[in-house]
Amino acid sequence: MDRLTRRRFLVASGVVGATALAAGATAYTLDDLLATAGDADPDARTLVLVTLYGGNDGLNTVVPYADPAYAAARPELAYRAEEVKRLDDAVGLNPALAGLHGLYAAGRLAVVRGVGYPKPDRSHFRSMDIWHTAEPERPGSTGWLGRWLDRAGGDPRLAVSFEPALPPLLAGARSAGASVPVTDRGAARGLPEPALAALAAAQPGESGARARAAACFADLRSVDELIQGVRDTTGAAEDDPDGEQAPATATGGARTPLEAQLDLVARCVEAGVATRVFSVSLGGFDTHADERQLQEVLLGQVDRALTGFAERMARSAAGRRVVVAVYSEFGRRVRANASDGTDHGTASDVLLLGAGVRGGLHGEPPSLTDLDNGDLKFTTDFRDVYAALLAQVLHTDPAEVLDGWSGRLGTVW
């Protein structure tokens, strides 16, 4: 086999990133996974990380409607007090977040204010690298959850992404999570089983890097089988007598990408898989123009997906041990631009919901008048959020994963 064929196939298929290709993994089947379910720690929690790509506007998500500086900076974009879903006398949620507003009222949603990092970068790619690696000074080559996976034994079943490609945050130095896209990968269509098997098999005399690439692909195939098994074993009740899938929403509309990803997460949790971390995402938040309508549409998708997932998880013991964290690579600038949108900014909010989370507003809201060249000054280091998730959800010493960082959000738990 040509020395570049397998790597090209993996990258073109959206299977893994370059870091994950170097990490390698071991193949597993659904039977392997379910066989260990009874041996799992009954108190173990599950983390679902939701990434909003593009830089979601935090100020129009958690709206400081009572601050006169907010309306002054955004005369066309600002929401009035009567439009928002009020959290208190100062802030409220975007009108599209009615479901999350209900979770907040029930004490099941925590809003962490002013989350960011020192010397912020307004580049989508650079800032996301920083969030993925948890290394703000100089993004490294491993993700923070990939480093957790290394310490947890490297089993790729422990960390699964339902995104088109494995995000760098799940790539460790010695292991990598598994990427299982919700939609089919076109590159694999039409290839006969022997060809796919050859791509997943180590070849005599090949280099260590090529052998690790084969291991990654073998793992991908096994996890695809795992997820198909989950669909087969948990989806029957949702099908109608003619074998058609039941509508995913009350109105019969098609599921959004985020809903589809969280549906698979829910099925895995309900089936008792050993996965401790799931990564899902939604893009499109780069709202430089006509922001209000576009962001409301996107936040409406987020709201429906998260609310439905939260209610579904509340119905089972395993689901009640799930914690969801929602973040974006940065917020937007305080002042609106000339196109009724906002440009790349800095600090924003992180949403937490699920088991053990203490609902409410947490952290100090950043000032809208004491700015850093027009940008918000962060008040909560994002590594504090990660440290809390590592300690409280994954039961891991944060300092071992975050290069000595051990700060925590004690009030959120």
Side-chain angles (χ1 to χ4, degrees):
M1 183 178 293
D2 177 72
R3 69 186 182 88
L4 293 180
T5 298
R6 184 185 293 126
R7 183 178 293 269
R8 284 173 176 167
F9 179 86
L10 290 166
V11 174
S13 301
V15 174
V16 289
T19 302
L21 276 174
T26 305
Y28 290 94
T29 66
L30 178 62
D31 288 341
D32 294 326
L33 182 67
L34 296 180
T36 63
D39 298 329
D41 180 354
D43 297 323
R45 291 179 173 178
T46 300
L47 172 63
V48 179
L49 197 64
V50 180
T51 305
L52 306 180
Y53 286 106
N56 179 46
D57 183 3
L59 288 177
N60 270 17
T61 300
V62 182
V63 183
Y65 67 87
D67 190 335
Y70 166 69
R74 302 178 168 206
E76 302 298 326
L77 287 182
Y79 287 98
R80 300 185 302 275
E82 61 271 22
E83 294 179 292
V84 302
K85 303 294 183 181
R86 292 196 183 197
L87 302 181
D88 61 18
D89 292 335
V91 298
L93 293 180
N94 186 285
L97 298 177
L100 290 182
H101 183 252
L103 292 177
Y104 184 91
R108 297 165 58 190
L109 173 68
V111 180
V112 185
R113 313 297 308 278
V115 182
Y117 56 86
K119 300 178 181 178
D121 196 298
R122 297 191 190 95
S123 162
H124 290 295
F125 304 105
R126 180 73 169 182
S127 189
M128 190 53 73
D129 281 345
I130 290 171
W131 278 87
H132 279 312
T133 63
E135 296 178 325
E137 293 298 326
R138 178 180 297 178
S141 59
T142 59
W144 69 281
L145 287 171
R147 297 194 294 274
W148 166 81
L149 183 62
D150 283 342
R151 286 161 177 77
D155 186 339
R157 299 174 300 178
L158 295 176
V160 172
S161 168
F162 289 123
E163 300 161 271
L166 186 74
L169 69 94
L170 296 185
R174 301 181 301 277
S175 56
S179 176
V180 186
V182 174
T183 55
D184 293 334
R185 285 174 298 277
R189 290 181 179 175
L191 288 177
E193 178 62 26
L196 292 173
L199 287 166
Q203 304 294 318
E206 69 180 353
S207 68
R210 288 161 60 193
R212 289 193 294 273
C216 279
F217 185 61
D219 178 62
L220 173 80
R221 297 189 70 214
S222 69
V223 178
D224 272 341
E225 294 173 2
L226 179 159
I227 297 303
Q228 186 58 52
V230 171
R231 289 191 180 110
D232 293 342
T233 57
T234 65
E238 301 174 13
D239 295 341
D240 67 20
D242 297 323
E244 297 295 330
Q245 191 72 15
T249 68
T251 59
R255 293 176 300 176
T256 66
L258 185 57
E259 285 177 311
Q261 294 171 65
L262 287 175
D263 175 67
L264 281 180
V265 174
R267 293 186 182 194
C268 287
V269 171
E270 291 163 354
V273 303
T275 307
R276 298 288 309 283
V277 174
F278 292 97
S279 177
V280 300
S281 65
L282 181 67
F285 287 88
D286 197 18
T287 51
H288 288 280
D290 301 320
E291 178 182 308
R292 272 186 64 141
Q293 181 178 2
L294 174 58
Q295 192 193 27
E296 283 191 24
V297 169
L298 291 169
L299 290 180
Q301 295 179 17
V302 172
D303 187 74
R304 290 189 298 273
L306 289 178
T307 304
F309 180 76
E311 295 303 326
R312 184 171 174 176
M313 291 295 92
R315 296 196 291 265
S316 69
R320 288 189 289 272
R321 294 193 294 272
V322 172
V323 173
V324 180
V326 186
Y327 77 102
S328 192
E329 67 261 38
F330 45 60
R332 316 295 291 189
R333 291 179 72 81
V334 175
R335 186 167 297 280
N337 61 29
S339 301
D340 291 331
T342 51
D343 298 323
H344 301 177
T346 53
S348 190
D349 305 293
V350 170
L351 307 182
L352 301 173
L353 59 151
V357 172
R358 183 180 301 171
L361 295 169
H362 302 272
E364 180 184 352
S367 171
L368 299 190
T369 54
D370 181 17
L371 303 176
D372 180 11
N373 191 29
D375 280 325
L376 298 173
K377 297 179 180 178
F378 80 97
T379 57
T380 301
D381 195 294
F382 75 125
R383 288 167 292 184
D384 287 346
V385 178
Y386 287 173
L389 295 173
L390 287 164
Q392 301 296 331
V393 182
L394 299 178
H395 299 158
T396 298
D397 181 358
E400 295 180 358
V401 175
L402 302 177
D403 193 26
W405 192 274
S406 59
R408 303 182 184 180
L409 296 173
T411 58
V412 178
W413 307 97

